[in-house]
Amino acid sequence: MASTYKVKVDKSKCIGCGTCSALAPKTFKMNDADQKAEPLPGEHDDDKTVLQAAQSCPVFAIIVEKDGKQVFPKE
Ligand code: F3S
């Protein structure tokens, strides 16, 4: 099932490790120009996968929201 989450990548934090796009390739892609992650439009991976990808980011550059509320990282 497609994710109900909305994701953002804080490019000022992203160090380009690529874990997010490896774990959730329908949700994140690496930008060839700056080697940083960016969210993809459309279907996305399922919620669990998206959350796992966000939790795997070593620098907490991924922000996950649902219905306008931040789910991860916890505020
Ligand atoms: Fe960047 Fe974190 Fe993904 S460092 S490439 S947002 S796992």
Side-chain angles (χ1 to χ4, degrees):
M1 200 174 80
S3 178
T4 57
Y5 292 146
K6 199 165 169 253
V7 295
K8 291 184 208 160
V9 176
D10 182 342
K11 286 214 176 199
S12 68
K13 287 189 182 164
C14 175
I15 54 168
C17 86
T19 307
C20 57
S21 62
L23 288 176
K26 291 187 209 154
T27 309
F28 303 97
K29 76 168 184 122
M30 301 307 290
N31 183 308
D32 289 338
D34 61 10
Q35 293 300 313
K36 296 193 176 196
E38 53 191 36
L40 287 164
E43 282 266 304
H44 288 178
D45 304 272
D46 61 33
D47 280 356
K48 196 172 157 216
T49 304
V50 171
L51 201 56
Q52 267 174 357
Q55 288 167 340
S56 301
C57 176
V59 292
F60 300 104
I62 298 170
I63 298 144
V64 182
E65 291 177 347
K66 181 167 180 163
D67 301 330
K69 290 200 182 105
Q70 189 166 316
V71 175
F72 185 85
K74 293 274 184 214
E75 286 179 295

